[in-house]
Amino acid sequence: MSDMNELVQRYLAAWNETDAAARQSMLAEVLAEDAVYTDPLVSVQSRDGLDATIAAVQGQFGGLVFSLGGVVDAHHNIARFTWHLGPEGAEPVVIGFDVAVLGEDGRISQVLGFLDKVPAGV
């Protein structure tokens, strides 16, 4: 499962990348072109849709970083993982849980996201 762990780490790194061109390149490596991303706040289809979502999240939570909140649990072509969003090295402000489905090409084809801890007013 180390490959799945690396894929999830690279996926989260894309969420932290603030340079748009670099982020798009990172997403192209880990995400299928027509990938679907759904969480309680947004549902988008395509890498461009997720890229726009990431840019909006970065605008709302500037200076905060995503990190893996525990072990990536995976089987077959599915992975689940907890992530944290907060100041680097500090208590997370937001905690979420994602399920990622891999396509036949080894890239993520779908992400289903859940929010476990969200600050008031978000």
Side-chain angles (χ1 to χ4, degrees):
M1 294 303 159
S2 62
D3 289 342
M4 189 70 81
N5 187 60
E6 180 182 333
L7 183 66
V8 169
Q9 290 281 11
R10 290 171 42 211
Y11 169 74
L12 288 176
W15 280 84
N16 289 326
E17 181 56 61
T18 56
D19 178 86
R23 183 176 59 246
Q24 290 165 358
S25 177
M26 294 170 80
L27 287 174
E29 292 177 13
V30 299
L31 206 67
E33 173 95 31
D34 61 348
V36 176
Y37 175 88
T38 306
D39 71 22
L41 304 174
V42 67
S43 181
V44 297
Q45 185 167 354
S46 79
R47 282 195 299 252
D48 289 343
L50 183 56
D51 180 56
T53 298
I54 292 171
V57 169
Q58 290 175 351
Q60 184 175 6
F61 295 101
L64 303 183
V65 294
F66 285 90
S67 61
L68 194 57
V71 176
V72 176
D73 184 21
H75 63 81
H76 296 88
N77 66 332
I78 302 168
R80 66 178 179 160
F81 56 94
T82 299
W83 51 264
H84 294 166
L85 175 64
E88 191 151 5
E91 189 70 24
V93 176
V94 181
I95 298 174
F97 174 92
D98 285 1
V99 175
V101 179
L102 273 60
E104 290 186 23
D105 66 356
R107 292 184 294 172
I108 298 168
S109 63
Q110 183 178 27
V111 177
L112 303 169
F114 299 85
L115 299 172
D116 298 323
K117 175 185 172 187
V118 180
V122 173

